[in-house]
Amino acid sequence: MKRSTCGRALGAAAVSIVSVLAMSFTGVAAQADPAPAPTEQALAELIAAGRKAAPVAGGSGSACTSGSGAGSGNGSGNCYGGSGSSSGSSGGFASDTVGYGPPMNSWVEAFGYGLIHPDVAPPGANDWKCKPTAEHPRPVVMLHGTWMNAYNGFAYMGQPVKDAGFCTFTFNYGRANLVEGGGLGSVLPGVMGTGYIQDSAKQLAIFVDRVLAATGADEVDIVAHSQGGSMANWYTKFEGGAAKVGNLISYGATHHGTSLDGIGALGRVINNLGIDVLGFVEIFVGHAGIQQTIGSEFVGKLNGDGDTVSGVDYTIVGTRYDEVTNPYELTFLGAGLGATVQNITLQDGCEQDLSDHLTMMYSPRALSIALRTLDPVGHPQLECAPNPWLIGGGGR
């Protein structure tokens, strides 16, 4: 049956929106080579200098704890976001998926489909009758990133992980609207992961317990993109997740924050000098976006007692062409007592993979890293294939 005129119009609108959002995420440069980025040390020194200034007058930070509203002041007190002025009340929710979307090789196409069909599951996910096997005893929980959803986060990876013999599950977290501080992007139906990250971690805790109850497993493995990685890290540290997670595999995760192409780092310094600029930016990117900037109270607490927790095995993947989590080395972790960490740069051994922050979830090499981590016996080899910058293509 032919698509309706309305359907074609929505499709065209989605493609237009995708183009705008993609440019917002990635900038206007069309070359594959990454732009020179300031070093982590330089950013740290810049932010440290800003912290020496007096706090914003009148800023209490008292309204910034989870579930109580957006932050006042410059991140003092218990302000998780450390974002500045209020941009909406706390709130938001998580939701299950309904139905399935098609498999996708292109990030742009998947993102557009996810905007129009915000609640569908990626292929292979959420078979609640699935039971783990002796070879694959842990179900896999897949976590999307900021401004993404369960579908377009894993439209490429979902089915191959399922086909490898794993029970796979995912959900939509951090669904906060504009009033709740989700930022302007949240007006689009498929934009999620915008609410306070610590609230999303509580949503993850509930979801993991459901997965464990349904499958009878003792632990899950987590595959996470961007905010999903730092949110999962928060879950293991502060929401009882350490005893329930075997592997934590993250891609471009904001474990140590991001400069957001320099905006976050510069804005943090200006904020700490007494001029509230990040509060204004928060209106656009939402609570979660600001929480992920270098120097935020959230990032500080996340890593205050070390990068890792005992008993969890971490596989952390970054890409040299990451324009969102940058410098990209900020995604890497240092192993603490009782934890193992493997930090992987996607291009090491595969220079033709030009994946950026978003398209890395559509990279054959990134997929093979996940499969090798989850099942090193069944999938010992890493794949190497070209993956286009900006649009992604599943190696095509």
Side-chain angles (χ1 to χ4, degrees), residues 12-357:
V15 171
S16 298
I17 292 169
V18 167
S19 299
V20 172
L21 290 177
M23 295 307 295
S24 298
F25 274 119
T26 60
V28 297
Q31 70 276 12
D33 291 337
T39 65
E40 180 178 350
Q41 181 61 34
L43 287 169
E45 291 173 354
L46 185 66
I47 294 163
R51 284 179 177 153
K52 296 176 183 178
V56 175
S60 66
S62 60
C64 219
T65 53
S66 172
S68 61
S72 58
N74 75 330
S76 57
N78 292 320
C79 178
Y80 288 119
S83 60
S85 64
S86 175
S87 64
S89 63
S90 181
F93 63 99
S95 66
D96 287 333
T97 60
V98 180
Y100 291 89
M104 294 281 187
N105 288 311
S106 166
W107 173 79
V108 171
E109 188 176 3
F111 190 79
Y113 189 93
L115 287 180
I116 300 173
H117 306 88
D119 296 304
V120 297
N126 294 346
D127 175 4
W128 289 93
K129 295 181 180 180
C130 183
K131 298 297 181 182
T133 64
E135 294 78 16
H136 306 115
R138 291 187 296 270
V140 177
V141 173
M142 304 181 295
L143 302 176
H144 64 81
T146 310
W147 281 38
M148 302 286 283
N149 56 47
Y151 172 76
N152 54 35
F154 292 92
Y156 174 66
M157 288 192 179
Q159 190 64 54
V161 175
K162 172 71 170 180
D163 292 343
F166 293 91
C167 299
T168 59
F169 300 90
T170 188
F171 72 119
N172 290 313
Y173 70 83
R175 302 187 70 160
N177 61 32
L178 186 60
V179 174
E180 294 164 337
L184 289 179
S186 66
V187 302
L188 299 172
V191 169
M192 303 171 195
T194 58
Y196 280 124
I197 300 175
Q198 66 273 14
D199 289 344
S200 295
K202 294 180 185 297
Q203 296 162 14
L204 173 60
I206 294 171
F207 187 78
V208 167
D209 286 348
R210 287 177 57 201
V211 170
L212 294 178
T215 61
D218 296 323
E219 291 181 325
V220 301
D221 288 333
I222 290 178
V223 179
H225 177 229
S226 193
Q227 180 198 150
S230 54
M231 187 266 281
N233 209 0
W234 184 279
Y235 162 65
T236 63
K237 293 179 177 181
F238 305 111
E239 295 296 338
K244 301 176 183 179
V245 176
N247 286 295
L248 174 53
I249 307 166
S250 70
Y251 296 88
T254 49
H255 294 301
H256 291 108
T258 171
S259 73
L260 289 175
D261 260 346
I263 295 173
L266 178 60
R268 183 69 56 195
V269 172
I270 295 174
N271 249 46
N272 291 338
L273 290 173
I275 303 172
D276 181 13
V277 65
L278 288 183
F280 174 75
V281 175
E282 187 173 8
I283 295 173
F284 295 92
V285 301
H287 291 327
I290 292 300
Q291 283 188 300
Q292 294 171 87
T293 56
I294 298 170
S296 73
E297 291 291 324
F298 172 83
V299 171
K301 182 171 182 178
L302 178 63
N303 303 299
D305 293 323
D307 289 355
T308 62
V309 295
S310 178
V312 177
D313 295 324
Y314 299 82
T315 299
I316 311 301
V317 184
T319 172
R320 294 175 188 156
Y321 303 97
D322 198 321
E323 67 286 77
V324 176
T325 300
N326 64 78
Y328 83 93
E329 293 90 350
L330 289 176
T331 196
F332 295 147
L333 299 178
L337 183 66
T340 63
V341 175
Q342 184 179 19
N343 292 315
I344 301 173
T345 297
L346 195 60
Q347 287 75 32
D348 285 351
C350 190
E351 292 294 338
Q352 59 264 51
D353 191 325
L354 304 180
S355 300
D356 60 24
H357 183 76

